Amino acid sequence: MFAGLPELGISNGEDLKETLTNCTEPLKAIDQFQIENGILLPTLQSALPFLDLHGTPRLEFHQSVFDELRDKLMERVATIAEGKEEDRYGKLEELLEKSFPLVKMPSIQPVVMQVLKHLPKVPEKKLKMVMADKELYKVCAVEVKRQIWQDNQALFGDEVSPLLKQYIVEKEAALFSSDLSILHNFFSPSPKTRRQGEVVLKLTQMIGKNVKLYDMVLQFLRTLFLRTRNVHYCTLRAELLMSLHDLDISEICSVDPCHKFTWCLDACIREKFVDGKRARELQGFLDGVKKGQEQVLGDLSMILCDPFACNTLVLSIMRNLQELLSQDSLPRDSPDLMLLLRMLSLGQGAWDMIDSQVFKEPRLDVEVVTRFLPAMMSVVVDDHTFTVDQKLPGEEKSSPPYPTTLPDAFTRYLQENRVACEMGLYYVLHIAKLRNKNALQRLLPALVETYNDMAFGDIFLHLLTGHLTLLSDEFGSEDFCSVVYDGFLLTTFSSKENVHRHTLRMLLHLHQKVLPSHVETLMKTLEPPKQVGFISTFSLCFTWTGVVLIGGSTSS
């Protein structure tokens, strides 16, 4: 406990033991020991007997003096570090040399840690000693740990890894939340709110102003994105940069070539729309990538692959298409639309670009603009024509049946092109938001086969199930239930556990509206095999008139 005192020429318990062993008058020896090692203040000696009269133990007095002096010393260390003196760090290093031998003493340790914390460059020998001792490493300040981490990537990775796992768990928990609502969904929190999350704040603190640590985290995120294809790592990449931006960490923001692009895009995400002015700014950043610096496209594509960025881009595309339709204009004649498609394509190609290390913007298939978008607009026109016809007086109605098939170009591009597929999926969400049952029944079966099964991804299913709550009354119809469940959700049930979970989420919310006969069928279909321990990982309780169903078992 008192290791290190002899190195500083201060007596410890072993010295007292030796003195008492070898002396002939123990009481005199103790008095002499107290004089030599007590507080060296002559006037104090005559005052100490007064404490004895008040029954105050000497230990209590000395401890209170020690605590007060330690606090003053720690304040003085902070004051020196914040001062302007040229030799301020020299003074701290001198103090560190004197105090470091006592770093294991609990009472002195805070002083040593305070000195280490305020040294911009701790001597390497001391850093190695702290790193080698688990207890010291655990209690040292993050400012000291940064100096250790920057030369120990594996150790830094061990610290960061649990945070990255926690971040993914939190994102997935939000996607599988039992709360279904079109108003409060995965994309509802503002960028600023998301950056207040525990993981982002901790990573920001761990990085501080250290560019090397920031680069390490970015490399971890790229590696994990490549390994898992999980787009939430792209979200974290953007959130981390903007968190440092919020704190005005210019040491990092000024050297990240994606900073201004991400800042502008962040403003668009906040508004959930890319207006003309910001679109031109974003285009300027993309066009400004110089020859020899193409590698920055890898990071830009990751930032555009962020689901929050993708959501904003596709919502902006949908709004742009509606304006073009009202103006009788062609998609290819809109520069804003073409830029949005360019950014969406860059984001969708992030994984391929980073994996191949070929940093070149993917070429947008021109037929997405000339064939797919007109086909999608024809679906809009069909629906509009039918709606107008239904509002005409009886004698003027032509009464055509609502179309049930889709243009070949529409379904083909849903299956073959990821940019087209993303727009098609958001068009389905747009239709659900309008509570358009006829159009939804026409479109949903086409989503069974989409590019890379995008229609069965968690983000789309999370949004779709929330949007379908707007049509809750339609679930009393056999036809509508058949299209939603049999015609879409349950078509891949056996191979996709996540679809099972989203179906259960929606059933939990809408079971009172769904036809009882269909509920019974659904529960039998959704019941996991007995040999699969699925209930333990995702157990839901549905309660309605007289029946409780847990997982798939029933009891009255």
Side-chain angles (χ1 to χ4, degrees):
M1 182 176 176
F2 298 105
L5 287 175
E7 292 179 42
L8 301 177
I10 300 173
S11 302
N12 63 7
E14 288 300 317
D15 295 316
L16 178 59
K17 182 179 177 182
E18 187 179 341
T19 300
L20 292 174
T21 302
N22 299 323
C23 73
T24 54
E25 297 183 58
L27 291 178
K28 283 187 178 181
I30 291 173
D31 286 339
Q32 186 61 32
F33 189 89
Q34 286 178 326
I35 292 169
E36 290 175 357
N37 295 283
I39 299 172
L40 301 178
L41 190 64
T43 54
L44 179 63
Q45 295 305 315
S46 58
L48 287 176
F50 285 105
L51 293 175
D52 299 334
L53 292 173
H54 288 283
T56 302
R58 296 285 176 93
L59 173 63
E60 185 179 321
F61 166 71
H62 282 91
Q63 188 64 52
S64 65
V65 172
F66 177 87
D67 291 343
E68 185 71 22
L69 290 173
R70 182 184 59 197
D71 292 344
K72 292 285 185 187
L73 179 56
M74 291 175 69
E75 286 176 19
R76 180 67 182 143
V77 168
T79 303
I80 292 172
E82 292 163 7
K84 305 285 185 183
E85 296 176 33
E86 288 186 13
D87 65 337
R88 62 187 183 280
Y89 296 127
K91 289 180 179 177
L92 293 183
E93 286 181 10
E94 188 180 338
L95 180 57
L96 180 64
E97 283 299 322
K98 290 180 178 178
S99 61
F100 198 82
L102 306 178
V103 71
K104 288 283 197 173
M105 283 181 63
S107 54
I108 297 290
Q109 193 177 81
V111 176
V112 183
M113 291 302 165
Q114 179 82 332
V115 177
L116 288 170
K117 174 183 174 180
H118 285 93
L119 275 174
K121 186 166 177 58
V122 176
E124 190 175 344
K125 183 181 176 183
K126 301 290 189 293
L127 276 183
K128 286 182 177 178
M129 291 172 72
V130 171
M131 185 175 70
D133 190 304
K134 288 183 179 179
E135 291 301 316
L136 290 182
Y137 174 77
K138 187 177 178 181
V139 298
C140 73
V142 70
E143 289 85 354
V144 182
K145 287 178 179 175
R146 286 187 200 124
Q147 296 186 47
I148 294 172
W149 292 333
Q150 68 178 6
D151 296 317
N152 293 272
Q153 186 170 354
L155 182 60
F156 186 51
D158 291 341
E159 294 277 357
V160 168
S161 182
L163 292 174
L164 301 184
K165 287 177 184 174
Q166 180 185 337
Y167 185 84
I168 298 301
V169 168
E170 288 171 358
K171 289 295 181 188
E172 290 178 350
L175 287 171
F176 287 110
S177 166
S178 58
D179 296 327
L180 260 70
S181 169
I182 192 170
L183 297 176
H184 302 288
N185 60 40
F186 182 74
F187 293 115
S188 295
S190 69
K192 197 108 177 176
T193 301
R194 287 188 282 116
R195 294 198 287 273
Q196 300 309 306
E198 181 185 2
V199 171
V200 177
L201 290 178
K202 277 188 177 179
L203 285 174
T204 304
Q205 184 195 29
M206 289 169 75
I207 291 167
K209 298 178 180 180
N210 195 306
V211 176
K212 197 171 179 180
L213 294 181
Y214 177 67
D215 284 338
M216 281 188 204
V217 174
L218 295 194
Q219 191 54 49
F220 294 152
L221 294 176
R222 291 186 201 105
T223 303
L224 288 166
F225 176 51
L226 272 181
R227 190 181 299 165
T228 65
R229 290 181 182 261
N230 194 320
V231 292
H232 299 313
Y233 291 116
C234 301
T235 305
L236 184 53
R237 195 263 183 259
E239 286 180 352
L240 189 56
L241 174 54
M242 287 309 299
S243 177
L244 293 163
H245 166 89
D246 292 342
L247 294 172
D248 199 22
I249 309 292
S250 59
E251 291 87 346
I252 291 174
C253 293
S254 62
V255 297
D256 189 331
C258 301
H259 172 231
K260 289 184 179 178
F261 181 89
T262 309
W263 185 8
C264 183
L265 186 62
D266 185 74
C268 297
I269 293 171
R270 186 178 63 242
E271 304 296 331
K272 290 188 169 63
F273 179 64
V274 183
D275 61 36
K277 181 185 175 185
R278 290 197 178 114
R280 286 186 290 277
E281 281 185 56
L282 293 168
Q283 182 175 11
F285 295 129
L286 290 177
D287 293 341
V289 176
K290 297 174 183 176
K291 194 170 183 180
Q293 298 178 345
E294 292 88 350
Q295 195 166 348
V296 73
L297 284 172
D299 276 327
L300 290 175
S301 68
M302 243 185 114
I303 287 162
L304 287 167
C305 189
D306 166 19
F308 289 86
C310 185
N311 177 64
T312 301
L313 290 173
V314 187
L315 288 176
S316 302
I317 288 170
M318 291 295 137
R319 189 160 154 184
N320 202 290
L321 288 172
Q322 288 173 318
E323 290 175 3
L324 292 173
L325 197 61
S326 66
Q327 298 165 4
D328 293 333
S329 300
L330 293 172
R332 62 174 175 264
D333 294 332
S334 169
D336 285 351
L337 177 63
M338 296 307 294
L339 172 64
L340 291 168
L341 289 171
R342 175 189 176 187
M343 290 193 290
L344 183 61
S345 178
L346 181 57
Q348 294 284 356
W351 190 91
D352 294 326
M353 185 184 295
I354 297 170
D355 180 53
S356 66
Q357 292 290 290
V358 177
F359 300 105
K360 186 177 179 182
E361 278 195 54
R363 188 179 296 277
L364 178 67
D365 185 346
V366 70
E367 290 196 353
V368 170
V369 180
T370 60
R371 300 280 305 275
F372 172 75
L373 288 179
M376 191 166 80
M377 290 301 96
S378 74
V379 177
V380 177
V381 172
D382 287 345
D383 186 65
H384 187 66
T385 303
F386 181 81
T387 304
V388 171
D389 187 73
Q390 295 301 301
K391 293 178 180 178
L392 293 173
E395 63 275 8
E396 295 182 30
K397 281 186 181 181
S398 58
S399 297
Y402 192 85
T404 55
T405 60
L406 290 165
D408 289 342
F410 183 79
T411 53
R412 181 162 61 86
Y413 276 91
L414 279 181
Q415 296 168 20
E416 297 177 2
N417 187 283
R418 59 183 153 202
V419 174
C421 185
E422 193 76 56
M423 289 188 285
L425 295 179
Y426 268 77
Y427 176 62
V428 172
L429 295 176
H430 174 69
I431 288 299
K433 190 175 182 180
L434 296 177
R435 297 179 170 86
N436 190 331
K437 181 184 78 167
N438 290 325
L440 204 54
Q441 291 184 165
R442 181 187 183 190
L443 288 161
L444 277 179
L447 302 187
V448 174
E449 291 184 45
T450 51
Y451 184 89
N452 204 26
D453 275 345
M454 286 171 65
F456 295 108
D458 288 328
I459 292 174
F460 175 69
L461 288 177
H462 169 90
L463 295 174
L464 179 65
T465 50
H467 281 62
L468 286 174
T469 59
L470 297 173
L471 294 103
S472 57
D473 291 337
E474 302 297 344
F475 281 87
S477 157
E478 182 70 37
D479 290 345
F480 190 73
C481 277
S482 294
V483 169
V484 173
Y485 290 110
D486 303 331
F488 175 55
L489 286 173
L490 300 184
T491 54
T492 61
F493 163 70
S494 60
S495 61
K496 293 191 177 292
E497 180 189 305
N498 71 308
V499 180
H500 186 155
R501 296 177 66 177
H502 285 291
T503 305
L504 285 171
R505 287 175 62 242
M506 190 164 69
L507 192 56
L508 175 63
H509 193 81
L510 296 174
H511 63 264
Q512 292 175 327
K513 300 284 187 177
V514 180
L515 284 174
S517 58
H518 217 86
V519 170
E520 191 175 337
T521 305
L522 280 169
M523 292 308 297
K524 286 179 181 176
T525 307
L526 295 171
E527 183 175 6
K530 289 182 180 177
Q531 67 270 25
V532 178
F534 184 72
I535 295 177
S536 63
T537 58
F538 191 75
S539 187
L540 283 177
C541 176
F542 300 103
T543 307
W544 59 92
T545 316
V547 181
V548 176
L549 293 101
I550 302 177
S553 59
T554 61
S555 61
S556 298

